[in-house]
Amino acid sequence: MELLGHLAVLSLVSVGGAHAVLPDLYRVVVTEQAWLTGTQFTTLVALSQAAPGPNVLVMALIGQQIGGVALGVAALVAFCLPSSVLAYLVARADLRAAGARWARAVKEGLAPVTVGLVLASGFVLMTGTGGNWAIHAAGAAAAILTATTRASPLLLIALGAAIGAFA
Amino acid sequence: MRRMDPRPSITPPSGGPRITRAQLFAAFSGIALAGFGGVLPHARRMLVERKGWLSDREMTELLSIGQLLPGPNIVNVGILFGVRRCGALGALAAAAGLLVAPLVLVLVLGAAYLQFADLPWLKGAFQGVGAVAAGLILGMGARLAHGVPPRPAVVALGAAAFAGVALARVPLAWVVLALAPLGVWLAWRSRA
């Protein structure tokens, strides 16, 4: 229940999508409540990246690990519903009437916040992953390859598993 | 041609092609299942190139509103598009299309993980996978940063968001409620 309430609040402040709220979720789920370990949490993030579908499905995985399938489904709904209602209301309103200047100011104003939040997410997950230097080097290499090439995330995750297994 | 449908879809004000809820559900399921590590590029491919439901410019506008709103970006896109073409139930059809099939898949994966998570020889593999997942997100953040002009106020705002969440571990709600209005205000003023 606590998890669902927290997710519903995060839904409305998730500027930058599902990835931006992961550090806050990590804080609650791993650091404060100890429902999952850091490695479990980051593995679930990886699983959601390796599976087809939107990133937001990580919420279902986290809920499922904590309290079974029902909590998994409820966690996904709790995170999607508030923002979806907002999107519905926005779609009903005529946005063009609100003016292009406002829309551009919101877009430009939120962009740097989004960047900071997404980078924070990667940082928190990286520090939360256990393992030796080789594992963290694999993570750093994945970051560089993702930033500079069109490397397949699936391939990188598979390589990470191999390096982790043998390192 | 759609006469047989007992619940015909609403013709959009812009005069685009008629779409039923079943078509919406199917198209957004296709988008969701095609996407590994981010589905937004597949939305353009499906809605603009394959279905011809939107022009390139309309798609860009839809994406930018979907990304502005809080919440999962692709779900926002589905809801915005669904409402405009098929009303509230259209929004539901698009969101369900995006989430239901991948949800089933991911829950199966999660159940498998519950079975194997405690095997000691898999521990290293899971750590490696987790580190790469973190790296993927860092790389995406770096890509996003590329598109933002490096003005001092902008960099300070991004750094503050990073420091608040990653270093000070302040609840996200506070960080966003403090920085988002500030960012919008600065952007508004710089255009005055």
Side-chain angles (χ1 to χ4, degrees):
Chain A
M1 265 303 120
E2 235 182 304
L3 175 74
L4 299 181
H6 192 69
L7 284 172
V9 172
L10 286 185
S11 175
L12 289 175
V13 293
S14 57
V15 175
H19 278 159
V21 308
L22 290 178
D24 204 63
L25 206 54
Y26 187 97
R27 182 177 60 80
V28 172
V29 167
V30 178
T31 313
E32 287 176 10
Q33 304 289 343
W35 286 325
L36 298 174
T37 67
T39 302
Q40 279 177 318
F41 189 96
T42 50
T43 306
L44 295 175
V45 174
L47 273 185
S48 76
Q49 287 179 327
N55 299 327
V56 65
L57 286 155
V58 69
M59 306 305 169
L61 274 172
I62 289 170
Q64 181 192 20
Q65 299 296 313
I66 295 174
V69 169
L71 189 64
V73 175
L76 183 67
V77 172
F79 184 73
C80 287
L81 197 60
S83 63
S84 294
V85 169
L86 184 67
Y88 174 76
L89 296 175
V90 166
R92 284 275 138 143
D94 190 359
L95 264 193
R96 262 155 291 205
R101 189 183 161 199
W102 252 109
R104 228 171 333 167
V106 172
K107 193 175 171 181
E108 285 178 17
L110 293 187
V113 180
T114 300
V115 171
L117 294 181
V118 171
L119 288 175
S121 182
F123 177 84
V124 168
L125 292 179
M126 189 70 90
T127 50
T129 312
N132 55 21
W133 65 270
I135 282 169
H136 289 109
I144 293 165
L145 286 171
T146 304
T148 55
T149 70
R150 295 180 62 97
S152 146
L154 205 57
L155 181 70
L156 293 175
I157 287 173
L159 287 174
I163 289 170
F166 296 108
Chain B
M1 170 184 152
R2 293 264 160 238
R3 270 286 147 82
M4 304 301 287
D5 191 333
R7 289 166 299 176
S9 55
I10 299 161
T11 308
S14 58
R18 276 171 169 238
I19 306 167
T20 63
R21 286 172 212 129
Q23 286 173 320
L24 266 179
F25 181 86
F28 278 93
S29 291
I31 292 170
L33 291 175
F36 286 92
V39 291
L40 286 176
H42 297 279
R44 182 181 295 272
R45 214 163 299 158
M46 176 70 83
L47 299 178
V48 177
E49 290 163 26
R50 278 188 56 189
K51 297 285 185 184
W53 287 346
L54 287 171
S55 70
D56 229 14
R57 207 179 55 83
E58 286 170 326
M59 185 72 214
T60 304
E61 190 192 298
L62 192 66
L63 276 179
S64 72
I65 302 172
Q67 288 173 310
L68 282 186
L69 291 168
N73 296 332
I74 186 66
V75 176
N76 289 337
V77 166
I79 285 175
L80 292 166
F81 183 77
V83 173
R84 285 182 191 174
R85 289 302 176 88
C86 285
L89 287 175
L92 202 61
L98 283 169
L99 296 175
V100 171
L103 174 65
V104 171
L105 244 157
V106 124
L107 288 177
V108 170
L109 271 177
Y113 175 65
L114 273 173
Q115 291 290 311
F116 299 118
D118 294 329
L119 294 181
W121 56 276
L122 274 177
K123 190 172 167 243
F126 284 135
Q127 287 176 339
V129 158
V132 168
L136 292 178
I137 295 177
L138 280 174
M140 260 182 285
R143 282 201 154 181
L144 281 177
H146 225 72
V148 181
R151 279 183 275 117
V154 165
V155 175
L157 215 56
F162 179 87
V165 169
L167 307 178
R169 308 276 164 127
V170 176
L172 177 70
W174 300 2
V175 174
V176 169
L177 290 179
L179 296 181
L182 182 65
V184 173
W185 180 71
L186 286 171
W188 175 261
R189 267 184 42 131
S190 74
R191 302 195 152 264

